[in-house]
């Protein structure tokens, strides 16, 4: 499962906003789904040049069914028959991440980082033992290395803890991918695309001491507003 080339999704969003201050979400999904199709086709070509059989699929071709929520859809079902057929004939199957198709046969997208979710969802449907996610970081740290000096890299982290970190600002993994892994018991191994380091495994862990702090996340673009002396009754806020 691959995502768009670096910077392409941001560029497509910029183009859309040059035309419309608030782009139609259906058309935005049609536009944003282009990035992943560039990646899968080029990767399939590259693998063929190396002498192996490869085939690329988009969400429509393997029927990744989603809800109707454009730009933030959730996967409902994946038809893996075609994937299994190609795997059995020794093809390397490459699938567009981040995208799906709703009940109206319209393209949808899963939100930023949604390729993680596509990968985990496919791992579940194909009954994989493990889902490996290769990205630009080499694992999960106790804090953001860009903000904190010398944080510790975690070898393992519990699904529940990773969910908390993902939901409160850590952008290492798409939170819905962690939810799926947790629900179906599929471990997620986060690794670097650039080196051979071991990364971090997100899995079911028995908490030995619930008082230990696993990590700290942050959100830089938030403000807290306190309004005092409001009557304590429904409807006032």
């Amino acid at each position: 499962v691959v995502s768009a080339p670096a910077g392409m999704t941001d560029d497509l969003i910029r183009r859309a906003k040059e035309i419309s201050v608030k782009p139609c979400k259906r058309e935005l999904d049609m536009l944003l789904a282009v990035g992943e199709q560039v990646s899968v086709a080029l990767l399939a070509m590259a693998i063929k040049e190396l002498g192996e059989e490869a085939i690329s699929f988009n969400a429509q071709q393997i029927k990744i069914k989603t809800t109707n929520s454009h730009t933030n859809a959730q996967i409902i079902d994946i038809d893996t028959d075609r994937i299994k057929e190609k795997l059995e004939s020794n093809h390397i199957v490459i699938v567009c991440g981040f995208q799906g198709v709703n009940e109206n046969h319209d393209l949808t997208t899963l939100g930023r980082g949604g390729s993680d979710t596509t990968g985990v969802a496919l791992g579940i449907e194909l009954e994989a033992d493990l889902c490996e996610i290769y990205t630009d970081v080499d694992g999960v740290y106790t804090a953001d290395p860009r903000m904190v000096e010398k944080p510790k890299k975690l070898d393992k982290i519990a699904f529940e803890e990773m969910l908390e970190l993902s939901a409160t600002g850590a952008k290492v993994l798409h939170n819905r991918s962690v939810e799926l892994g947790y629900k179906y018991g599929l471990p997620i191994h986060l690794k670097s695309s650039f080196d051979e380091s071991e990364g971090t495994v997100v899995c079911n862990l028995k908490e030995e001491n619930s008082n230990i702090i696993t990590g700290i996340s942050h959100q830089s673009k938030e403000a807290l507003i306190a309004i005092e002396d409001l009557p304590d009754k429904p409807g006032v806020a």
Side-chain angles (χ1 to χ4, degrees):
V1 175
V2 295
S3 56
M8 181 173 279
T9 303
D10 287 332
D11 183 56
L12 292 171
I13 291 172
R14 179 187 59 76
R15 291 187 183 202
K17 290 189 174 178
E18 285 176 355
I19 293 171
S20 170
V21 176
K22 193 175 181 181
C24 165
K25 288 187 176 182
R26 180 194 181 277
E27 302 309 330
L28 192 58
D29 275 352
M30 181 72 86
L31 177 66
L32 297 184
V34 169
E36 280 65 27
Q37 295 192 178
V38 170
S39 292
V40 289
L42 291 176
L43 184 55
M45 293 176 196
I47 291 171
K48 289 184 182 196
E49 286 297 309
L50 294 171
E52 299 290 340
E53 286 296 327
I55 187 167
S56 64
F57 291 126
N58 63 22
Q60 288 181 320
Q61 290 169 315
I62 55 170
K63 300 181 180 65
I64 300 178
K65 297 177 184 175
T66 71
T67 58
N68 294 325
S69 302
H70 283 289
T71 73
N72 193 32
Q74 295 188 40
I75 295 174
I76 298 170
D77 186 45
I78 303 175
D79 183 350
T80 55
D81 288 348
R82 200 170 177 193
I83 295 174
K84 289 176 179 176
E85 178 188 322
K86 289 299 179 182
L87 288 174
E88 286 167 6
S89 60
N90 292 322
H91 282 73
I92 295 169
V93 178
I94 310 159
V95 176
C96 288
F98 179 61
Q99 61 174 238
V101 183
N102 67 16
E103 61 185 9
N104 301 316
H105 308 290
D106 290 331
L107 281 170
T108 59
T109 62
L110 310 178
R112 296 305 293 265
S115 293
D116 296 348
T117 301
T118 306
V120 173
L122 266 174
I124 292 163
E125 289 290 338
L126 294 167
E127 299 180 347
D129 297 322
L130 178 75
C131 177
E132 292 185 334
I133 294 181
Y134 290 84
T135 182
D136 57 352
V137 295
D138 61 352
V140 180
Y141 283 79
T142 51
D144 188 339
R146 294 166 297 185
M147 301 287 288
V148 177
E149 189 178 348
K150 296 181 180 178
K152 180 184 175 184
K153 188 172 79 172
L154 302 166
D155 295 328
K156 292 183 178 181
I157 184 171
F159 280 120
E160 298 96 325
E161 294 167 329
M162 193 67 239
L163 274 173
E164 285 287 334
L165 288 173
S166 297
T168 54
K171 297 178 180 177
V172 185
L173 282 172
H174 195 235
N175 64 329
R176 211 167 287 149
S177 70
V178 184
E179 287 175 8
L180 281 173
Y182 184 25
K183 182 177 179 180
Y184 292 95
L186 178 66
I188 301 169
H189 195 171
L190 184 72
K191 303 179 81 171
S192 171
S193 304
F194 306 110
D195 60 48
E196 298 294 325
S197 61
E198 278 303 302
T200 302
V201 179
V202 186
C203 55
N204 283 316
L205 287 177
K206 291 182 179 178
E207 294 183 45
E208 295 177 4
N209 186 344
S210 59
N211 295 323
I212 294 175
I213 297 172
T214 299
I216 297 172
S217 59
H218 76 279
Q219 296 184 28
S220 58
K221 295 182 180 180
E222 276 201 0
L224 176 66
I225 299 173
I227 302 174
E228 298 178 350
D229 298 325
L230 287 179
D232 185 14
K233 61 182 182 181
V236 172

Short mmCIF file of all heavy atoms in Angstrom, two decimals, residues 49-90:
data_model
loop_
_atom_site.label_atom_id
_atom_site.label_comp_id
_atom_site.label_asym_id
_atom_site.label_seq_id
_atom_site.Cartn_x
_atom_site.Cartn_y
_atom_site.Cartn_z
N GLU A 49 10.78 -3.38 -14.02
CA GLU A 49 12.12 -3.14 -14.55
C GLU A 49 13.17 -3.97 -13.81
O GLU A 49 14.22 -4.29 -14.36
CB GLU A 49 12.48 -1.66 -14.45
CG GLU A 49 11.77 -0.77 -15.46
CD GLU A 49 12.15 -1.12 -16.90
OE1 GLU A 49 13.36 -1.19 -17.19
OE2 GLU A 49 11.23 -1.34 -17.71
N LEU A 50 12.87 -4.33 -12.56
CA LEU A 50 13.79 -5.17 -11.78
C LEU A 50 13.59 -6.66 -12.05
O LEU A 50 14.24 -7.50 -11.44
CB LEU A 50 13.59 -4.89 -10.28
CG LEU A 50 13.98 -3.48 -9.81
CD1 LEU A 50 13.53 -3.27 -8.37
CD2 LEU A 50 15.48 -3.24 -9.95
N GLY A 51 12.64 -6.97 -12.94
CA GLY A 51 12.46 -8.36 -13.35
C GLY A 51 11.40 -9.14 -12.62
O GLY A 51 11.29 -10.36 -12.77
N GLU A 52 10.57 -8.46 -11.80
CA GLU A 52 9.50 -9.14 -11.07
C GLU A 52 8.14 -8.77 -11.64
O GLU A 52 7.99 -7.72 -12.27
CB GLU A 52 9.55 -8.76 -9.58
CG GLU A 52 10.84 -9.12 -8.87
CD GLU A 52 11.03 -10.60 -8.67
OE1 GLU A 52 10.01 -11.34 -8.73
OE2 GLU A 52 12.17 -11.03 -8.45
N GLU A 53 7.15 -9.61 -11.39
CA GLU A 53 5.78 -9.31 -11.82
C GLU A 53 5.11 -8.43 -10.77
O GLU A 53 5.18 -8.71 -9.58
CB GLU A 53 4.98 -10.61 -11.99
CG GLU A 53 5.35 -11.40 -13.23
CD GLU A 53 5.05 -10.66 -14.52
OE1 GLU A 53 4.06 -9.91 -14.55
OE2 GLU A 53 5.82 -10.80 -15.48
N ALA A 54 4.48 -7.37 -11.22
CA ALA A 54 3.79 -6.46 -10.30
C ALA A 54 2.53 -5.95 -10.97
O ALA A 54 2.44 -5.87 -12.20
CB ALA A 54 4.69 -5.30 -9.91
N ILE A 55 1.55 -5.60 -10.15
CA ILE A 55 0.30 -5.04 -10.68
C ILE A 55 -0.23 -4.02 -9.67
O ILE A 55 -0.15 -4.22 -8.46
CB ILE A 55 -0.75 -6.14 -10.97
CG1 ILE A 55 -1.96 -5.54 -11.69
CG2 ILE A 55 -1.15 -6.88 -9.70
CD1 ILE A 55 -2.89 -6.60 -12.29
N SER A 56 -0.77 -2.92 -10.19
CA SER A 56 -1.31 -1.87 -9.31
C SER A 56 -2.83 -1.85 -9.37
O SER A 56 -3.42 -2.14 -10.40
CB SER A 56 -0.75 -0.50 -9.72
OG SER A 56 -1.18 -0.16 -11.03
N PHE A 57 -3.43 -1.50 -8.24
CA PHE A 57 -4.89 -1.39 -8.15
C PHE A 57 -5.27 -0.10 -7.44
O PHE A 57 -4.64 0.28 -6.44
CB PHE A 57 -5.49 -2.55 -7.35
CG PHE A 57 -5.41 -3.89 -8.04
CD1 PHE A 57 -4.83 -4.97 -7.38
CD2 PHE A 57 -5.91 -4.08 -9.31
CE1 PHE A 57 -4.76 -6.21 -8.00
CE2 PHE A 57 -5.84 -5.31 -9.93
CZ PHE A 57 -5.26 -6.39 -9.28
N ASN A 58 -6.33 0.55 -7.93
CA ASN A 58 -6.90 1.66 -7.15
C ASN A 58 -8.10 1.14 -6.36
O ASN A 58 -8.46 -0.04 -6.45
CB ASN A 58 -7.26 2.85 -8.05
CG ASN A 58 -8.34 2.52 -9.07
OD1 ASN A 58 -9.12 1.59 -8.91
ND2 ASN A 58 -8.39 3.30 -10.14
N ALA A 59 -8.74 2.02 -5.61
CA ALA A 59 -9.82 1.60 -4.71
C ALA A 59 -11.02 1.04 -5.46
O ALA A 59 -11.69 0.12 -4.98
CB ALA A 59 -10.26 2.78 -3.84
N GLN A 60 -11.30 1.57 -6.65
CA GLN A 60 -12.44 1.08 -7.43
C GLN A 60 -12.20 -0.34 -7.93
O GLN A 60 -13.11 -1.15 -7.97
CB GLN A 60 -12.71 2.03 -8.60
CG GLN A 60 -13.31 3.36 -8.16
CD GLN A 60 -13.60 4.28 -9.33
OE1 GLN A 60 -12.82 4.36 -10.27
NE2 GLN A 60 -14.71 4.99 -9.27
N GLN A 61 -10.96 -0.63 -8.31
CA GLN A 61 -10.66 -1.93 -8.90
C GLN A 61 -10.75 -3.08 -7.90
O GLN A 61 -11.04 -4.21 -8.28
CB GLN A 61 -9.27 -1.89 -9.54
CG GLN A 61 -9.23 -1.02 -10.79
CD GLN A 61 -7.82 -0.77 -11.26
OE1 GLN A 61 -6.92 -0.46 -10.49
NE2 GLN A 61 -7.61 -0.92 -12.56
N ILE A 62 -10.49 -2.78 -6.61
CA ILE A 62 -10.60 -3.86 -5.61
C ILE A 62 -11.73 -3.58 -4.61
O ILE A 62 -11.83 -4.22 -3.58
CB ILE A 62 -9.27 -4.09 -4.85
CG1 ILE A 62 -8.77 -2.78 -4.22
CG2 ILE A 62 -8.22 -4.68 -5.77
CD1 ILE A 62 -7.61 -2.99 -3.28
N LYS A 63 -12.57 -2.60 -4.97
CA LYS A 63 -13.79 -2.33 -4.20
C LYS A 63 -13.52 -2.10 -2.71
O LYS A 63 -13.99 -2.84 -1.84
CB LYS A 63 -14.80 -3.47 -4.39
CG LYS A 63 -15.24 -3.68 -5.83
CD LYS A 63 -16.25 -4.81 -5.93
CE LYS A 63 -16.70 -5.03 -7.37
NZ LYS A 63 -15.61 -5.51 -8.25
N ILE A 64 -12.75 -1.06 -2.41
CA ILE A 64 -12.57 -0.63 -1.02
C ILE A 64 -13.79 0.22 -0.68
O ILE A 64 -13.85 1.40 -1.02
CB ILE A 64 -11.27 0.15 -0.82
CG1 ILE A 64 -10.06 -0.72 -1.19
CG2 ILE A 64 -11.16 0.62 0.64
CD1 ILE A 64 -8.72 -0.02 -1.05
N LYS A 65 -14.79 -0.38 -0.06
CA LYS A 65 -16.04 0.32 0.23
C LYS A 65 -15.91 1.18 1.49
O LYS A 65 -15.37 0.73 2.50
CB LYS A 65 -17.17 -0.70 0.42
CG LYS A 65 -17.47 -1.52 -0.83
CD LYS A 65 -18.55 -2.57 -0.55
CE LYS A 65 -18.76 -3.46 -1.78
NZ LYS A 65 -19.73 -4.56 -1.49
N THR A 66 -16.42 2.41 1.40
CA THR A 66 -16.33 3.32 2.54
C THR A 66 -17.68 3.98 2.82
O THR A 66 -18.62 3.85 2.04
CB THR A 66 -15.31 4.45 2.28
OG1 THR A 66 -15.85 5.35 1.30
CG2 THR A 66 -13.98 3.92 1.82
N THR A 67 -17.72 4.71 3.91
CA THR A 67 -18.88 5.56 4.21
C THR A 67 -18.90 6.74 3.22
O THR A 67 -17.97 6.90 2.43
CB THR A 67 -18.78 6.10 5.65
OG1 THR A 67 -17.55 6.84 5.77
CG2 THR A 67 -18.81 4.97 6.66
N ASN A 68 -19.94 7.54 3.31
CA ASN A 68 -20.10 8.65 2.36
C ASN A 68 -19.42 9.95 2.79
O ASN A 68 -19.57 10.97 2.12
CB ASN A 68 -21.60 8.93 2.14
CG ASN A 68 -22.29 7.77 1.45
OD1 ASN A 68 -21.71 7.11 0.60
ND2 ASN A 68 -23.54 7.52 1.81
N SER A 69 -18.70 9.94 3.89
CA SER A 69 -18.09 11.17 4.43
C SER A 69 -16.87 11.57 3.61
O SER A 69 -15.75 11.11 3.87
CB SER A 69 -17.68 10.97 5.89
OG SER A 69 -18.78 10.61 6.67
N HIS A 70 -17.08 12.42 2.62
CA HIS A 70 -15.98 12.86 1.77
C HIS A 70 -14.90 13.56 2.58
O HIS A 70 -15.19 14.31 3.50
CB HIS A 70 -16.49 13.78 0.67
CG HIS A 70 -17.18 13.04 -0.44
ND1 HIS A 70 -16.49 12.26 -1.34
CD2 HIS A 70 -18.48 12.96 -0.79
CE1 HIS A 70 -17.35 11.72 -2.20
NE2 HIS A 70 -18.57 12.13 -1.89
N THR A 71 -13.65 13.27 2.25
CA THR A 71 -12.41 13.75 2.88
C THR A 71 -12.13 13.14 4.25
O THR A 71 -11.07 13.34 4.81
CB THR A 71 -12.34 15.31 3.00
OG1 THR A 71 -13.21 15.76 4.03
CG2 THR A 71 -12.65 16.00 1.69
N ASN A 72 -13.08 12.37 4.78
CA ASN A 72 -12.86 11.73 6.09
C ASN A 72 -13.67 10.43 6.19
O ASN A 72 -14.31 10.16 7.20
CB ASN A 72 -13.24 12.69 7.22
CG ASN A 72 -12.74 12.22 8.57
OD1 ASN A 72 -11.69 11.58 8.67
ND2 ASN A 72 -13.49 12.51 9.61
N ALA A 73 -13.64 9.63 5.13
CA ALA A 73 -14.45 8.42 5.08
C ALA A 73 -13.82 7.30 5.91
O ALA A 73 -12.63 7.33 6.23
CB ALA A 73 -14.60 7.96 3.63
N GLN A 74 -14.63 6.31 6.26
CA GLN A 74 -14.16 5.13 6.98
C GLN A 74 -14.39 3.88 6.13
O GLN A 74 -15.42 3.76 5.46
CB GLN A 74 -14.90 4.97 8.31
CG GLN A 74 -14.62 6.11 9.28
CD GLN A 74 -15.20 5.83 10.66
OE1 GLN A 74 -15.15 4.71 11.15
NE2 GLN A 74 -15.75 6.86 11.28
N ILE A 75 -13.44 2.97 6.17
CA ILE A 75 -13.55 1.73 5.38
C ILE A 75 -14.60 0.81 6.00
O ILE A 75 -14.61 0.58 7.20
CB ILE A 75 -12.19 1.01 5.31
CG1 ILE A 75 -11.17 1.86 4.52
CG2 ILE A 75 -12.33 -0.37 4.65
CD1 ILE A 75 -9.77 1.31 4.53
N ILE A 76 -15.48 0.28 5.14
CA ILE A 76 -16.52 -0.65 5.57
C ILE A 76 -16.13 -2.08 5.18
O ILE A 76 -16.30 -3.02 5.96
CB ILE A 76 -17.88 -0.29 4.92
CG1 ILE A 76 -18.33 1.11 5.36
CG2 ILE A 76 -18.94 -1.33 5.27
CD1 ILE A 76 -19.53 1.63 4.59
N ASP A 77 -15.60 -2.24 3.96
CA ASP A 77 -15.32 -3.59 3.46
C ASP A 77 -14.31 -3.50 2.32
O ASP A 77 -14.23 -2.48 1.63
CB ASP A 77 -16.61 -4.25 2.97
CG ASP A 77 -16.41 -5.70 2.56
OD1 ASP A 77 -15.74 -6.43 3.31
OD2 ASP A 77 -16.91 -6.09 1.49
N ILE A 78 -13.53 -4.58 2.13
CA ILE A 78 -12.61 -4.68 1.00
C ILE A 78 -12.79 -6.05 0.35
O ILE A 78 -12.81 -7.07 1.03
CB ILE A 78 -11.13 -4.53 1.44
CG1 ILE A 78 -10.91 -3.21 2.17
CG2 ILE A 78 -10.20 -4.62 0.24
CD1 ILE A 78 -9.51 -3.03 2.74
N ASP A 79 -12.95 -6.06 -0.97
CA ASP A 79 -13.06 -7.32 -1.72
C ASP A 79 -11.64 -7.75 -2.10
O ASP A 79 -11.00 -7.14 -2.96
CB ASP A 79 -13.90 -7.10 -2.98
CG ASP A 79 -14.12 -8.38 -3.76
OD1 ASP A 79 -13.46 -9.40 -3.44
OD2 ASP A 79 -14.92 -8.38 -4.71
N THR A 80 -11.12 -8.79 -1.43
CA THR A 80 -9.73 -9.19 -1.63
C THR A 80 -9.56 -10.30 -2.67
O THR A 80 -8.45 -10.78 -2.88
CB THR A 80 -9.11 -9.65 -0.31
OG1 THR A 80 -9.92 -10.70 0.25
CG2 THR A 80 -9.00 -8.52 0.69
N ASP A 81 -10.65 -10.71 -3.34
CA ASP A 81 -10.56 -11.83 -4.28
C ASP A 81 -9.51 -11.58 -5.37
O ASP A 81 -8.70 -12.46 -5.70
CB ASP A 81 -11.92 -12.11 -4.93
CG ASP A 81 -12.90 -12.74 -3.96
OD1 ASP A 81 -12.46 -13.18 -2.87
OD2 ASP A 81 -14.10 -12.79 -4.27
N ARG A 82 -9.55 -10.38 -5.95
CA ARG A 82 -8.62 -10.08 -7.05
C ARG A 82 -7.18 -10.01 -6.56
O ARG A 82 -6.25 -10.43 -7.25
CB ARG A 82 -9.03 -8.77 -7.72
CG ARG A 82 -8.47 -8.62 -9.12
CD ARG A 82 -9.07 -7.46 -9.85
NE ARG A 82 -8.46 -7.30 -11.15
CZ ARG A 82 -8.59 -6.23 -11.92
NH1 ARG A 82 -9.38 -5.23 -11.51
NH2 ARG A 82 -7.99 -6.13 -13.08
N ILE A 83 -7.01 -9.47 -5.34
CA ILE A 83 -5.66 -9.41 -4.76
C ILE A 83 -5.12 -10.82 -4.54
O ILE A 83 -3.98 -11.14 -4.90
CB ILE A 83 -5.68 -8.64 -3.42
CG1 ILE A 83 -6.06 -7.18 -3.66
CG2 ILE A 83 -4.33 -8.73 -2.72
CD1 ILE A 83 -6.24 -6.37 -2.39
N LYS A 84 -5.94 -11.68 -3.94
CA LYS A 84 -5.50 -13.06 -3.67
C LYS A 84 -5.16 -13.80 -4.95
O LYS A 84 -4.18 -14.56 -5.01
CB LYS A 84 -6.59 -13.81 -2.90
CG LYS A 84 -6.75 -13.34 -1.45
CD LYS A 84 -7.91 -14.05 -0.76
CE LYS A 84 -8.06 -13.59 0.68
NZ LYS A 84 -9.24 -14.20 1.34
N GLU A 85 -5.96 -13.58 -5.98
CA GLU A 85 -5.72 -14.23 -7.28
C GLU A 85 -4.34 -13.84 -7.82
O GLU A 85 -3.59 -14.68 -8.30
CB GLU A 85 -6.81 -13.79 -8.25
CG GLU A 85 -6.66 -14.34 -9.66
CD GLU A 85 -7.67 -13.70 -10.60
OE1 GLU A 85 -8.82 -13.47 -10.20
OE2 GLU A 85 -7.29 -13.41 -11.75
N LYS A 86 -4.00 -12.56 -7.71
CA LYS A 86 -2.71 -12.09 -8.22
C LYS A 86 -1.56 -12.53 -7.32
O LYS A 86 -0.47 -12.85 -7.80
CB LYS A 86 -2.72 -10.56 -8.36
CG LYS A 86 -3.61 -10.07 -9.49
CD LYS A 86 -3.14 -10.60 -10.84
CE LYS A 86 -4.02 -10.15 -11.99
NZ LYS A 86 -3.56 -10.71 -13.29
N LEU A 87 -1.78 -12.56 -6.01
CA LEU A 87 -0.74 -13.04 -5.10
C LEU A 87 -0.42 -14.51 -5.38
O LEU A 87 0.74 -14.91 -5.36
CB LEU A 87 -1.19 -12.87 -3.64
CG LEU A 87 -1.24 -11.43 -3.09
CD1 LEU A 87 -1.84 -11.43 -1.69
CD2 LEU A 87 0.14 -10.80 -3.07
N GLU A 88 -1.46 -15.29 -5.65
CA GLU A 88 -1.27 -16.71 -5.93
C GLU A 88 -0.52 -16.95 -7.24
O GLU A 88 0.11 -17.99 -7.43
CB GLU A 88 -2.62 -17.43 -5.95
CG GLU A 88 -3.21 -17.59 -4.55
CD GLU A 88 -4.67 -18.01 -4.55
OE1 GLU A 88 -5.20 -18.28 -5.65
OE2 GLU A 88 -5.27 -18.03 -3.46
N SER A 89 -0.57 -15.99 -8.16
CA SER A 89 0.18 -16.12 -9.41
C SER A 89 1.50 -15.34 -9.34
O SER A 89 2.05 -14.94 -10.37
CB SER A 89 -0.67 -15.63 -10.59
OG SER A 89 -1.02 -14.26 -10.43
N ASN A 90 1.99 -15.15 -8.10
CA ASN A 90 3.31 -14.58 -7.84
C ASN A 90 3.48 -13.12 -8.29
O ASN A 90 4.56 -12.70 -8.67
CB ASN A 90 4.42 -15.44 -8.46
CG ASN A 90 4.54 -16.78 -7.77
OD1 ASN A 90 4.41 -16.88 -6.56
ND2 ASN A 90 4.76 -17.84 -8.55
#
